[in-house]
């Protein structure tokens, strides 16, 4: 199924750049014939089915990106991936970066469970049985830091000031532990925390000169960053959990722009409540509104992540749609929680002053704000066709009618599988057009939301049987006219999903990664 673009991904960015022509590597380690034949682009190995095994054998550490040439996220990643490869090579690292065109090498993609693009996997010592999924950000520094954590010590020992300066100066964010005794309990807790963080480099030092350079007179931990305050000193009981909370609260800017590169940091982090400012960069008082937003952000550090989105940018239009916004309605603020269920909130006021934004956030944290549910206007002819049209405003009345058995398709207009289902669903509507108590209906879930049902993928099919119990039955049978008829004639039994049926909500839409038109391919693009 096509996944509902989680706030995250509404969120499909199509950043285009040209692919350079392939280059041949001059030679490999030891001058081996196989290595000499390795194909490269911008320092990144280009692997095919015939060369994949050779690459695993030749390189102790190998990070492999499975990509599609049409994938916008892959195109955006390409320059950062090449920068990471160049940085590692300049350092003399034995880690190599590689890529596989999964649309050409479909057997390789299938072997390694590739269901979306880009998929990045890390291979160690030629072991293809259990490669590790890459989980960090999409910038060169993120990639390098993650790989160093996977292949080296959790924290680099900094023996002098030069080593410490190099760590701080060469990274957007870095954490250094200052301990006179590197075997102390506090130092051990620090190293445990370092092992748990994939995307930030850690250093540890007992050098008096390093203590003096960074103005520490006793043991401590400092997070260095190239934004906001520049550094944060840890305070409190030095335990792994406390350190991780400290890092979580300080590793991102107070306000961060949503981009292709920052998306993994934003949505992969621990803070699951996000407030978004949809702000066109072309607006006359752009900086003033952004400054107001930043002013409010400081009060909610570690609790709410403040994000701004350029609402003029074509890449961000799906996000606006997801929140039911139009470009002409921006600047605007929305809040979303990304727990098990995504829930959206809208301020009562359009005032974007720092005080009003703080007031909105405080009311949310106090539980005084009700979720914002989108709804289209009810069409006058909503019930004139065999398939009834539901919107947020009439859903409850129709779906939970105690005298009707209502079968609803929750769809997205852009979803390829929804388009394939449409003629079958129309035939189903015709079949039961005059039935006394069976209603066939559909609802555009990109524009309508209801409290009773949370939709995570498209199409989702749910049956609301007659009666007073407000029961909901998920359909998990064949998407055929006969399958639907059996389900309805059995009272929602034949084809119902089991209670413990846990479905990979993105698998179906992404199983065949080469088929479909460009629009469908875009939907399969993953962050």
């Amino acid at each position: 199924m096509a996944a509902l673009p989680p706030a995250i991904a509404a969120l499909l960015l199509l950043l285009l750049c040209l692919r350079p022509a392939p280059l041949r590597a001059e030679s490999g380690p030891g001058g081996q014939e196989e290595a000499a034949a390795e194909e490269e682009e911008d320092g990144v190995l280009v692997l095919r089915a015939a060369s994949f095994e050779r690459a695993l054998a030749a390189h102790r550490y190998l990070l492999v990106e499975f990509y599609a040439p049409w994938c916008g996220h892959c195109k955006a990643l390409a320059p950062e991936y090449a920068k990471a490869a160049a940085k590692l090579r300049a350092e003399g690292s034995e880690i190599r970066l590689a890529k596989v065109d999964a649309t050409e090498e479909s057997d390789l993609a299938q072997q390694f469970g590739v269901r979306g693009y880009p998929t990045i996997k890390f291979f160690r010592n030629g072991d293809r049985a259990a490669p590790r999924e890459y989980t960090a950000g999409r910038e060169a520094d993120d990639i390098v830091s993650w790989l160093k954590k996977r292949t080296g010590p959790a924290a680099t020992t900094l023996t002098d000031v030069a080593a410490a300066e190099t760590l701080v100066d060469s990274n957007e964010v870095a954490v250094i532990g200052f301990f006179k005794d590197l075997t102390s309990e506090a130092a051990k807790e620090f190293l445990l925390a370092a092992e748990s963080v994939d995307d930030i480099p850690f250093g540890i030092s007992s050098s008096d000169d390093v203590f003096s350079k960074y103005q520490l007179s006793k043991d401590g931990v400092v997070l260095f960053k190239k934004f906001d305050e520049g550094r944060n000193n840890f305070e409190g009981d030095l335990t792994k959990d406390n350190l991780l909370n400290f890092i979580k609260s300080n590793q991102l800017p107070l306000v961060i722009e949503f981009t292709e590169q920052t998306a993994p940091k934003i949505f992969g982090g621990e803070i699951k409540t996000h407030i978004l400012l949809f702000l066109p960069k072309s607006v006359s008082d752009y900086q003033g509104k952004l400054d107001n937003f930043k002013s409010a952000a400081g009060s909610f550090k570690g609790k709410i992540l403040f994000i701004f989105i350029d609402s003029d940018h074509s890449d961000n239009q799906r996000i606006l749609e997801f929140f039911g916004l139009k470009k002409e309605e921006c600047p605007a603020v929305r809040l979303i929680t990304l727990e098990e269920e995504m829930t959206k909130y809208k301020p009562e006021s359009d005032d974007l002053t720092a005080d009003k934004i703080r007031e909105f956030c405080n009311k949310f944290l106090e539980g005084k704000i009700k979720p914002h549910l989108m709804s289209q206007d009810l069409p006058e002819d909503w019930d004139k066709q065999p398939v009834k049209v539901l919107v947020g405003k009439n859903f409850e009345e129709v779906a939970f009618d105690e005298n009707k058995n209502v079968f609803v398709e929750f769809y997205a207009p852009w979803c390829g599988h929804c388009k394939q289902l449409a003629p079958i669903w129309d035939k189903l509507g015709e079949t039961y057009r005059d039935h006394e108590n069976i209603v066939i209906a559909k609802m555009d879930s990109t524009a309508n939301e209801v409290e009773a049902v949370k939709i995570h993928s498209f199409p989702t099919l749910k049956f609301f049987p007659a009666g007073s119990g407000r029961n909901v039955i998920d359909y998990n049978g064949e998407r055929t006219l006969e399958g639907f008829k059996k389900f309805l004639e059995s009272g929602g039994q034949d084809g119902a999903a089991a209670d413990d049926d846990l479905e990979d909500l993105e698998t179906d839409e992404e199983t065949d990664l080469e088929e479909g038109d460009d629009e469908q391919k875009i939907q399969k693009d993953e962050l």
Side-chain angles (χ1 to χ4, degrees):
M1 296 183 185
L4 177 100
I8 323 172
L11 321 182
L12 301 169
L13 308 177
L14 303 179
L15 306 176
L16 305 178
C17 63
L18 296 175
R19 254 176 92 182
L23 300 174
R24 293 282 180 181
E26 295 178 5
S27 63
Q32 297 176 3
E33 183 177 342
E34 293 89 344
E38 287 180 332
E39 185 181 348
E40 290 189 11
E41 282 183 9
D42 287 348
V44 176
L45 297 176
V46 179
L47 302 184
R48 310 181 192 283
S51 59
F52 196 86
E53 292 298 331
R54 290 202 304 269
L56 286 181
H59 303 290
R60 184 180 178 192
Y61 303 120
L62 191 66
L63 186 71
V64 181
E65 175 204 3
F66 294 87
Y67 73 98
W70 46 257
C71 162
H73 300 300
C74 303
K75 292 172 182 175
L77 173 63
E80 295 297 321
Y81 202 66
K83 281 183 199 173
K87 186 172 183 178
L88 290 166
R89 176 170 281 187
E91 294 175 357
S93 172
E94 58 181 327
I95 304 169
R96 291 303 307 269
L97 271 60
K99 62 181 180 181
V100 172
D101 181 345
T103 67
E104 292 290 334
E105 306 297 338
S106 55
D107 287 345
L108 277 178
Q110 187 172 359
Q111 286 175 39
F112 295 108
V114 176
R115 296 191 179 280
Y117 303 125
T119 291
I120 307 173
K121 294 181 180 284
F122 178 57
F123 297 82
R124 181 195 293 267
N125 296 322
D127 181 10
R128 59 177 295 140
R132 183 160 186 163
E133 201 81 18
Y134 175 77
T135 56
R138 298 283 175 85
E139 294 181 322
D141 284 346
D142 299 323
I143 296 168
V144 171
S145 295
W146 189 91
L147 287 167
K148 287 183 175 180
K149 280 290 186 74
R150 303 279 72 76
T151 58
T156 303
T157 301
L158 308 172
T159 57
D160 54 33
V161 169
E165 287 180 330
T166 298
L167 180 69
V168 171
D169 294 343
S170 61
N171 292 283
E172 186 79 3
V173 178
V175 178
I176 297 181
F178 299 81
F179 302 99
K180 294 296 185 181
D181 179 3
L182 297 184
T183 64
S184 67
E185 288 304 313
K188 290 176 182 176
E189 290 291 314
F190 174 79
L191 291 173
L192 287 174
E195 290 172 358
S196 301
V197 179
D198 284 336
D199 54 350
I200 298 175
F202 282 63
I204 187 168
S205 182
S206 60
S207 164
D208 290 339
D209 290 340
V210 176
F211 270 69
S212 177
K213 165 68 180 177
Y214 295 105
Q215 293 129 23
L216 271 84
S217 58
K218 61 180 181 179
D219 287 3
V221 175
V222 179
L223 182 144
F224 297 91
K225 56 191 181 185
K226 294 179 178 176
F227 49 83
D228 296 342
E229 314 98 313
R231 68 181 275 174
N232 301 102
N233 290 12
F234 174 79
E235 297 178 357
D237 188 15
L238 206 158
T239 66
K240 172 189 170 182
D241 288 342
N242 287 344
L243 279 173
L244 292 177
N245 286 332
F246 162 73
I247 293 165
K248 175 188 76 174
S249 297
N250 294 289
Q251 70 180 107
L252 293 176
L254 272 177
V255 175
I256 185 169
E257 182 175 8
F258 180 90
T259 67
E260 172 75 15
Q261 284 71 37
T262 61
K265 297 178 183 177
I266 291 171
F267 299 105
E270 294 294 321
I271 302 174
K272 298 303 182 186
T273 299
H274 299 171
I275 185 169
L276 300 95
L277 171 63
F278 294 88
L279 179 64
K281 290 187 176 180
S282 59
V283 73
S284 58
D285 57 344
Y286 167 79
Q287 193 58 51
K289 285 185 166 53
L290 188 58
D291 287 345
N292 284 339
F293 198 57
K294 287 181 178 179
S295 176
S299 305
F300 304 97
K301 199 173 183 180
K303 298 176 183 176
I304 300 175
L305 192 59
F306 279 60
I307 303 161
F308 76 94
I309 297 173
D310 180 4
S311 55
D312 274 345
H313 202 297
S314 59
D315 289 341
N316 294 330
Q317 296 316 298
R318 180 59 54 75
I319 312 176
L320 268 72
E321 291 173 20
F322 179 70
F323 282 92
L325 282 168
K326 297 176 182 177
K327 286 176 68 173
E328 53 268 27
E329 295 176 301
C330 299
V333 163
R334 295 292 186 271
L335 187 146
I336 186 167
T337 58
L338 300 173
E339 302 295 345
E340 289 185 12
E341 300 290 353
M342 287 187 297
T343 308
K344 304 169 192 171
Y345 299 85
K346 176 184 176 181
E348 295 176 356
S349 168
D350 293 331
D351 190 341
L352 298 180
T353 62
D355 286 343
K356 282 295 183 181
I357 293 170
R358 272 192 289 265
E359 179 184 338
F360 172 56
C361 291
N362 280 321
K363 283 186 176 180
F364 164 78
L365 292 174
E366 293 166 3
K368 296 178 180 178
I369 303 288
K370 291 184 178 180
H372 171 61
L373 301 173
M374 297 187 300
S375 178
Q376 294 173 305
D377 291 331
L378 182 64
E380 290 184 7
D381 61 347
W382 71 271
D383 60 347
K384 298 298 188 289
Q385 298 300 318
V387 176
K388 312 308 176 189
V389 177
L390 302 185
V391 297
K393 295 175 181 178
N394 72 334
F395 180 85
E396 282 276 330
E397 177 187 352
V398 177
F400 291 108
D401 184 334
E402 295 183 9
N403 300 309
K404 302 291 185 181
N405 295 289
V406 185
F407 198 14
V408 183
E409 176 202 6
F410 299 88
Y411 72 97
W414 45 257
C415 163
H417 283 272
C418 301
K419 293 173 183 177
Q420 293 171 10
L421 178 62
I424 301 172
W425 202 251
D426 287 341
K427 286 180 183 177
L428 186 66
E430 286 286 356
T431 301
Y432 292 97
R433 181 172 196 158
D434 299 318
H435 197 283
E436 61 180 349
N437 63 15
I438 291 180
V439 176
I440 308 302
K442 64 181 180 180
M443 187 172 86
D444 178 356
S445 285
T446 66
N448 298 280
E449 298 168 317
V450 292
E451 193 169 354
V453 177
K454 299 294 183 182
I455 304 302
H456 299 283
S457 61
F458 302 125
T460 289
L461 307 176
K462 291 181 180 287
F463 180 60
F464 301 81
S468 59
R470 293 178 63 87
N471 294 324
V472 182
I473 299 173
D474 290 316
Y475 179 78
N476 201 32
E478 294 180 357
R479 291 182 193 167
T480 63
L481 184 60
E482 286 305 311
F484 293 146
K485 287 167 65 177
K486 285 181 182 178
F487 176 71
L488 290 169
E489 298 302 330
S490 69
Q493 299 299 312
D494 189 345
D499 289 341
D500 60 350
D501 188 8
L502 298 177
E503 182 181 5
D504 180 348
L505 297 175
E506 298 188 9
T507 297
D508 289 351
E509 180 70 1
E510 296 175 5
T511 297
D512 189 341
L513 293 167
E514 297 184 57
E515 292 187 358
D517 58 23
D518 288 342
E519 186 179 11
Q520 284 171 270
K521 286 177 179 176
I522 290 170
Q523 303 312 326
K524 297 171 197 168
D525 228 355
E526 288 189 345
L527 285 171

